[in-house]
Amino acid sequence: MKRKLALAAILSALFLTACSGENSSGSSQSGDNLQASTESNVPDSAPSESVLPITEEAATDTKESGSAEENVVPTIPPEELDGIEDLNNLYGPDGEKVDKYTITSIHYGYDDEGNEDKTKWLNVDCDGFAYYSEPRGFSYNSVDNAELLDKENWRFNVDELPTPEYKRCEVGDTVCGLKVTYASAMFGTANADMNFVFPDDSIVLGRELNIPEVFFLGGSISFEGSLDMTGYIFICPEDEGYNARGDILFTPDKESCVLPVVNFEFNSEKGIFSRSYTVTHDGEFFYMSEYPSIYAGNIFSSELDFADYPIGEPIKVKLTADNINMSSNVDWITQTQFVITDIEKIG
């Protein structure tokens, strides 16, 4: 299997809208590969192990009250932040300013001798909150939408969607019927000297792209709850790239774009930079979705029986997803992952 990945261009428009289940037609530009090279180090999202069945009553976004101690996250002592002026310029993708005293960890740069230099910071983490956009039903594949696929140019010929509105969520909130159990937002700096590699192998410095000196880097969210979805799974036939033999990749159909969306575009005013969507193919199965990459476990470690599911070809299924985690960051591909607790073939 030759699995290729194309990422949206840095200035491409984004999409997305409501969790209410109102699906709109539309789509996006074809993806172009864009990678960022940086020295930043950011933590993986914390996995959620809880299970909370979802009902229709839980489908709206709400905040659940809890004890004050339950959601308290230790922050950096104020005296460590007072002297770093550009930390006063943190803005989330919702356009709202972020209080620097909510920072929970800070990663510093180094001087010429390799010593930590606390006058230079590379990135900071703010645990306890993150950002997401609501889904719009943006999902195309070469089985259901073969007439829209342009293989040569790696795109589906569909209209673009407008830039979405981002929302801030906190631990304890309910988003798209899922309870937030972990959330972290990340911000970066020193991007003027960051190398951005484009599809033609050209390298452009951050300052040439008008990227702000301080910008939103990405985030991670873990959820408690389960969702039923339909779409296609593809079981990887061999080890290649980041995928191992038996890995299950999932792309939802339009009706099953019910998860919150955690990926971002670059906006020179707000300082948002990340991927907006992907066009991917596994063998001859092409798909493009507002969830750039969904990993659903591996058949060899699953408690479910996948004996009747052929390896190396798309299979239409209905499944139940649990332990849902989402992350988006400049340093790696935007990813959603979950555990399949129930599955059945369709058709």
Side-chain angles (χ1 to χ4, degrees), residues 16-82:
L16 322 173
T17 185
C19 271
S20 63
E22 296 178 4
N23 293 326
S24 302
S25 62
S27 186
S28 176
Q29 300 176 10
S30 67
D32 295 321
N33 188 39
L34 177 63
Q35 298 176 335
S37 174
T38 176
E39 297 179 356
S40 303
N41 293 310
V42 284
D44 295 333
S45 67
S48 168
E49 298 180 355
S50 303
V51 177
L52 178 66
I54 297 303
T55 64
E56 292 184 7
E57 288 77 13
T60 56
D61 294 354
T62 61
K63 173 174 287 189
E64 295 186 10
S65 60
S67 67
E69 296 181 1
E70 183 179 340
N71 295 334
V72 169
V73 180
T75 56
I76 297 293
E79 59 269 20
E80 290 190 28
L81 304 175
D82 287 340

Side-chain angles (χ1 to χ4, degrees), residues 28-266:
S28 176
Q29 300 176 10
S30 67
D32 295 321
N33 188 39
L34 177 63
Q35 298 176 335
S37 174
T38 176
E39 297 179 356
S40 303
N41 293 310
V42 284
D44 295 333
S45 67
S48 168
E49 298 180 355
S50 303
V51 177
L52 178 66
I54 297 303
T55 64
E56 292 184 7
E57 288 77 13
T60 56
D61 294 354
T62 61
K63 173 174 287 189
E64 295 186 10
S65 60
S67 67
E69 296 181 1
E70 183 179 340
N71 295 334
V72 169
V73 180
T75 56
I76 297 293
E79 59 269 20
E80 290 190 28
L81 304 175
D82 287 340
I84 308 177
E85 292 300 323
D86 56 8
L87 287 180
N88 294 317
N89 298 314
L90 303 182
Y91 286 87
D94 59 354
E96 298 296 322
K97 190 172 183 177
V98 174
D99 184 352
K100 68 180 180 181
Y101 297 113
T102 61
I103 293 173
T104 54
S105 63
I106 184 167
H107 308 277
Y108 297 100
Y110 295 86
D111 59 24
D112 294 337
E113 297 179 354
N115 300 312
E116 189 176 67
D117 183 353
K118 290 198 173 183
T119 66
K120 301 176 182 178
W121 66 280
L122 294 177
N123 54 69
V124 298
D125 304 319
C126 297
D127 291 345
F129 67 88
Y131 300 91
Y132 73 99
S133 187
E134 295 178 341
R136 182 164 181 172
F138 178 88
S139 187
Y140 297 87
N141 65 75
S142 55
V143 176
D144 297 333
N145 313 108
E147 73 284 0
L148 300 175
L149 175 63
D150 180 354
K151 288 186 180 180
E152 183 176 348
N153 294 306
W154 279 76
R155 61 168 294 135
F156 285 82
N157 294 316
V158 290
D159 295 333
E160 296 179 13
L161 293 179
T163 300
E165 292 185 3
Y166 291 97
K167 299 181 179 182
R168 173 169 160 163
C169 65
E170 300 180 4
V171 172
D173 288 358
T174 298
V175 175
C176 296
L178 299 167
K179 182 179 179 181
V180 178
T181 58
Y182 172 85
S184 181
M186 296 166 280
F187 300 84
T189 187
N191 56 83
D193 296 319
M194 187 184 297
N195 292 330
F196 294 94
V197 182
F198 284 82
D200 60 359
D201 293 328
S202 61
I203 299 176
V204 181
L205 291 175
R207 64 171 62 91
E208 298 176 69
L209 296 172
N210 195 33
I211 297 177
E213 280 303 307
V214 179
F215 66 102
F216 175 66
L217 188 62
S220 300
I221 311 179
S222 295
F223 299 97
E224 181 181 82
S226 60
L227 292 174
D228 293 330
M229 292 181 281
T230 57
Y232 290 87
I233 63 167
F234 183 92
I235 302 172
C236 298
E238 60 189 54
D239 297 339
E240 184 172 345
Y242 292 102
N243 296 322
R245 174 176 168 79
D247 277 356
I248 307 167
L249 307 177
F250 175 71
T251 182
D253 53 31
K254 287 188 175 185
E255 292 71 23
S256 290
C257 291
V258 294
L259 292 166
V261 181
V262 181
N263 58 61
F264 310 92
E265 66 172 344
F266 174 75

